[in-house]
Amino acid sequence: SSELTQDPAVSVALGHTIRITCQGDSLRTYYANWYHQRPGQAPLLVIHGKNNRPSGIPDRFSGSYSGNTASLTITGAQADDEGDYYCHSRDRTGNHLVFGPGTKVTV
Amino acid sequence: QVQLQQWGAGLLKPSETLSLTCAVNTGSFSHYSWTWIRQPPGKGLEWIGDVNHRGSATYNPSLESRVAISVDSSKRQFSLKVNSVTAADTAMYYCASAPVNSSSWHLDYWGQGMLVTVSS
């Protein structure tokens, strides 16, 4: 089983807000990163660290933390936001990286 | 901006060795840790391991006994080898970069991916 857990699937109406969560003990210590993967494409970094957006990522994407949970919020979801979202962080030992199992988002 | 280009054999027989290489075409080679990730068909992402520009590597404990990641700074390339492959190693393999000054070890640039199939 993964050290990071995510809901398998979430759906949202066009223009509405969606929150995707990632839970794990290591998130009490380490930041998470979030990637968006469309079918047939490589993952794309959308949020990293505390709440940082790479150049070119719309500001409707934001990150937050509470306890052992990291969250990715998409405000005003667009059809282009469909796909799989993966969280990524350190494991409990801090020595290795791990991915969450992914959340499939349907808009 | 970092551009990554990867290549290697796409079809292997069980027990053979998987070998992939990723070239860093642009960007600073020493400012990143170089990472391999894989994704079996229809499944999620799995971190395989990473290496810094000095050649110090870290591996996923579940793969450590069969994996080696190396770097050739003079050629601006890093490589992945997985020995004794089985059908379970069939996956899309990605190379990626992680800035060494990142507090979260985020993977900011990814290669195009390489599908490796293991079949007799």
Side-chain angles (χ1 to χ4, degrees), chain A residues 1 12 18 30 34 46 52 56 58-60 64 70-71 76 82 88 97:
Chain A
S1 62
V12 62
I18 185 172
Y30 302 106
W34 291 92
V46 294
N52 302 301
D59 60 5
R60 63 175 183 274
S64 60
S71 298
E82 280 199 338
H88 166 237
L97 296 172

Side-chain angles (χ1 to χ4, degrees), chain B:
Chain B
Q1 182 98 9
V2 174
Q3 289 186 350
L4 303 172
Q5 184 177 9
Q6 55 184 109
W7 67 87
L11 181 60
L12 298 172
K13 290 182 168 52
S15 81
E16 292 184 334
T17 296
L18 180 157
S19 182
L20 298 175
T21 298
C22 188
V24 182
N25 292 333
T26 61
S28 171
F29 196 78
S30 63
H31 290 174
Y32 290 88
S33 180
W34 305 104
T35 305
W36 289 98
I37 303 102
R38 71 181 184 178
Q39 184 173 35
K43 296 188 178 179
L45 302 169
E46 179 179 33
W47 176 76
I48 299 172
D50 56 38
V51 66
N52 63 24
H53 71 283
R54 293 183 297 274
S56 177
T58 307
Y59 302 112
N60 185 324
S62 69
L63 297 169
E64 189 164 12
S65 63
R66 299 192 295 125
V67 169
I69 298 175
S70 59
V71 65
D72 186 335
S73 297
S74 65
K75 292 184 178 179
R76 294 171 58 90
Q77 296 176 358
F78 59 105
S79 298
L80 169 71
K81 290 190 187 301
V82 182
N83 58 39
S84 304
V85 297
T86 69
D89 295 307
T90 294
M92 183 71 79
Y93 285 76
Y94 295 100
C95 58
S97 60
V100 294
N101 63 354
S102 167
S103 60
S104 63
W105 300 274
H106 65 275
L107 301 169
D108 53 357
Y109 297 102
W110 294 63
Q112 77 277 20
M114 174 90 194
L115 179 62
V116 177
T117 302
V118 180
S119 174
S120 55

